[in-house]
Amino acid sequence: MSEKYSKAEQKLLTKVGKRIRALRNETGLSQEDFAKKCDLDRTYISDVERGERNISIINLNKIAKSLKVALSQLFEI
């Protein structure tokens, strides 16, 4: 990861990423198919799921809509 985050910030990114991965896995979609559904790049989704991206609220909203969940559900960690 190119940016430096505190341990607490990195922990948050990792938890949100794991939550997104878990919800995606529940849908049965691969990262590639999910990325297409979100209109995002597969490598971006991979980075998010590993906690290596500080994801924007716009992209979080795209992910939530693609998962058919409320935005707040992404933060149930």
Side-chain angles (χ1 to χ4, degrees):
M1 183 179 301
S2 61
E3 294 186 47
K4 293 288 183 180
Y5 298 107
S6 70
K7 286 183 182 182
E9 290 168 334
Q10 184 59 56
K11 188 175 181 179
L12 177 61
L13 290 173
T14 300
K15 283 183 176 183
V16 171
K18 285 181 179 180
R19 175 70 173 151
I20 290 169
R21 178 182 289 133
L23 290 168
R24 176 184 59 79
N25 285 336
E26 287 178 17
T27 69
L29 291 172
S30 68
Q31 281 184 345
E32 186 172 351
D33 291 337
F34 182 61
K36 287 177 186 175
K37 191 173 182 179
C38 296
D39 195 30
L40 297 168
D41 191 83
R42 189 212 47 86
T43 58
Y44 182 83
I45 294 295
S46 176
D47 289 348
V48 167
E49 289 184 354
R50 289 191 323 270
E52 295 183 2
R53 288 280 184 144
N54 187 4
I55 187 168
S56 73
I57 192 71
I58 300 297
N59 288 342
L60 279 170
N61 192 52
K62 286 180 180 183
I63 288 170
K65 283 184 176 187
S66 295
L67 291 168
K68 297 181 182 172
V69 299
L71 186 58
S72 61
Q73 286 183 270
L74 299 181
F75 301 102
E76 292 177 2
I77 49 179

